[in-house]
Amino acid sequence: MAPARVESLAMSGLAAIPAEYVRPLEERPTECVLKVKRVEDEGPQIPVVDVAGWDSADEEIKKEIRRQVAKASREWGVMQLLNHGISETLIERLQAAGKAFFDLPVEEKEKYANDHAAGKIAGYGSKLANNASGQLEWEDYYFHLLWPEQRRDMTTWPKHPQEYIEVTDAYGREIRKLVTKILGTLSSDLGVEEERMERVLGGENLEMQLKINYYPRCPQPELALGVEAHTDISALTFLLHNMVPGLQLFYEGKWVTAKCIPSALIVHIGDQVEILSNGKFTSGLHRGLVNKEKVRISWAVFCDPPKDALIGPMKEVVDEKNPPLFPAKTFKEHTDHKLFKKAQAQAEAQAAKKVEEST
Ligand SMILES: Oc1cc(O)c2c(c1)O[C@H](c1ccc(O)c(O)c1)[C@@H](O)[C@H]2O
Ligand SMILES: O=C(O)CCC(=O)C(=O)O
């Protein structure tokens, strides 16, 4: 059966969300983001790094930027980049195109429906209940391969609005350049050749997937999650949003809400970089909240190695004092293992809950 679209549910005017969207108590957001005091006034914040001088002729400026990027990657696994070189105009056009697609009636979007159960994730979709609890997320999404260019299947890209393909392609090219810069910075910080991580992650065959997350208004945001807590299976993830708060990072035992900074590009360290660096860089646990008043949209670009790339800690970061913390696995094995483990843990939690309720 095709999953219900969250947008249709939200538009039906229901006052209470269906049980499958109600998170267990321990997962529920403790406060509703839009009601929170000014987030910038409180506690630790996701590091903000101004990379304007990344290509500067001044070695000291470059060194300082690289130091900050590496520090954020070690301590948080996430950062907000300012002056990253992607023009505001391109970002605005990308966001306008994604929004124009989601502004189409649901029946039009259904023409692009994916078939996740059959392993076809590209297209318009909503989370499948892949576990005994049937737990769902308060979001619909659009997913397609963005890179490498020759592997794109253009039948899976939206045909409306007309400029979608041109602007999304242009954005992908800009992100691809940033991938090289960030992996180079992180490789240097580990004391390996600058090209090393990019090469292990597939070089020209490194893949990028675009996921546009569409989070409709939710009548009970304190009970739901837009995206449940997870670390990304990718090497790096680049994220833009429509300036509606919702992204939270788990840091020192607390959920920290990301500040909405105009034009900032959020960069997550994913599992593959954590593994390559033998845990020196952190794949940060994060989640997405929803709210009553505003639709939230985010654009995630996941940068992945090819499915058959074998990823384990690099030999230079392993020695007697630093034994390997992760077994080497192909990217496909990592993905399958993680999804299976998650489904299993959720099924076990649900079974335990049922036993508790019946006693
Ligand atoms: O190639 C990737 C890398 C990632 O890090 C992720 C991904 C794909 O897709 C995840 C995803 C997509 C669609 C769904 O319905 C999901 O439940 C998950 C994404 O969350 C991310 O981890
Ligand atoms: O919407 C967000 O801010 C987070 C999205 C996310 O984590 C994901 O799509 O995996």
Side-chain angles (χ1 to χ4, degrees):
M1 201 179 67
R5 299 306 170 199
V6 178
E7 182 186 353
S8 305
L9 264 178
M11 299 298 279
S12 71
L14 78 182
I17 60 174
E20 310 85 84
Y21 294 93
V22 176
R23 312 303 302 196
L25 263 180
E26 64 280 8
E27 281 187 33
R28 289 182 200 166
T30 48
E31 56 212 339
C32 197
V33 253
L34 286 185
K35 286 194 204 127
V36 185
K37 309 131 257 176
R38 286 164 52 91
V39 284
E40 54 265 49
D41 296 341
E42 304 250 316
Q45 294 298 320
I46 293 171
V48 178
V49 186
D50 185 337
V51 293
W54 217 330
D55 296 322
S56 163
D58 185 332
E59 280 305 317
E60 282 310 307
I61 292 178
K62 280 209 279 204
K63 211 164 128 191
E64 176 54 18
I65 290 171
R66 292 160 86 98
R67 191 192 66 77
Q68 288 184 30
V69 168
K71 186 171 190 285
S73 307
R74 285 173 183 260
E75 294 175 2
W76 280 78
V78 67
M79 70 204 89
Q80 304 225 34
L81 290 192
L82 303 181
N83 297 311
H84 39 69
I86 308 183
S87 77
E88 260 173 58
T89 314
L90 180 56
I91 291 178
E92 276 164 18
R93 290 179 69 213
L94 174 91
Q95 297 192 333
K99 181 174 180 304
F101 175 79
F102 275 98
D103 281 346
L104 289 173
V106 170
E107 308 79 73
E108 277 302 307
K109 291 186 290 236
E110 288 296 0
K111 293 181 184 163
Y112 298 87
N114 67 4
D115 190 357
H116 207 163
K120 293 185 184 130
I121 190 181
Y124 176 55
S126 314
K127 192 182 167 71
L128 286 184
N130 63 353
N131 54 70
S133 69
Q135 186 77 75
L136 295 175
E137 296 172 326
W138 195 263
E139 72 150 348
D140 301 320
Y141 62 81
Y142 201 100
F143 191 94
H144 65 76
L145 182 100
L146 182 58
W147 197 265
E149 200 179 356
Q150 69 276 13
R151 292 218 26 245
R152 289 174 181 167
D153 173 359
M154 298 315 289
T155 65
T156 64
W157 289 42
K159 286 167 195 57
H160 176 90
Q162 222 189 348
E163 60 274 22
Y164 182 93
I165 293 178
E166 184 210 321
V167 293
T168 305
D169 169 61
Y171 180 66
R173 286 172 199 280
E174 294 298 323
I175 292 289
R176 186 63 189 81
K177 289 187 228 161
L178 282 176
V179 171
T180 297
K181 278 195 165 147
I182 292 177
L183 292 177
T185 296
L186 299 183
S187 293
S188 298
D189 187 65
L190 293 176
V192 301
E193 242 189 295
E194 208 166 309
E195 296 75 26
R196 181 70 196 279
M197 276 213 254
E198 182 167 351
R199 206 167 48 235
V200 182
L201 291 166
E204 287 190 352
N205 295 318
L206 182 143
E207 294 183 6
M208 304 197 309
Q209 313 273 357
L210 174 66
K211 183 176 174 226
I212 309 178
N213 296 298
Y214 183 88
Y215 308 100
R217 290 178 193 87
C218 178
Q220 293 178 297
E222 66 286 358
L223 300 184
L225 286 177
V227 179
E228 63 194 14
H230 65 285
T231 61
D232 286 348
I233 54 176
S234 60
L236 297 173
T237 303
F238 294 82
L239 193 92
L240 289 170
H241 55 75
N242 64 341
M243 298 298 286
V244 174
L247 174 67
Q248 291 193 318
L249 268 293
F250 197 66
Y251 183 75
E252 293 184 340
K254 285 201 184 113
W255 286 105
V256 176
T257 304
K259 273 198 264 180
C260 290
I261 308 175
S263 302
L265 182 61
I266 296 174
V267 183
H268 288 281
I269 300 299
D271 296 347
Q272 305 311 310
V273 163
E274 180 175 85
I275 295 168
L276 283 176
S277 68
N278 201 30
K280 302 274 186 314
F281 301 124
T282 310
S283 179
L285 186 68
H286 57 282
R287 66 180 187 181
L289 307 191
V290 290
N291 73 84
K292 243 184 195 160
E293 285 84 21
K294 287 187 180 161
V295 169
R296 179 163 186 271
I297 311 180
S298 71
W299 286 257
V301 176
F302 302 114
C303 306
D304 302 336
K307 300 269 171 291
D308 59 353
L310 188 65
I311 308 293
M314 295 185 293
K315 63 177 186 331
E316 297 87 341
V317 292
V318 172
D319 58 26
E320 247 170 58
K321 278 200 205 124
N322 300 285
L325 299 175
F326 308 92
K329 284 199 180 98
T330 64
F331 182 57
K332 183 175 183 326
E333 281 166 349
H334 179 87
T335 309
D336 292 350
H337 176 74
K338 196 159 168 183
L339 294 180
F340 172 73
K341 246 181 46 189
K342 191 164 149 193
Q344 202 182 27
Q346 283 169 333
E348 279 165 13
Q350 185 63 15
K353 198 171 142 202
K354 275 193 186 140
V355 170
E356 210 179 278
E357 281 164 4
S358 66
T359 52

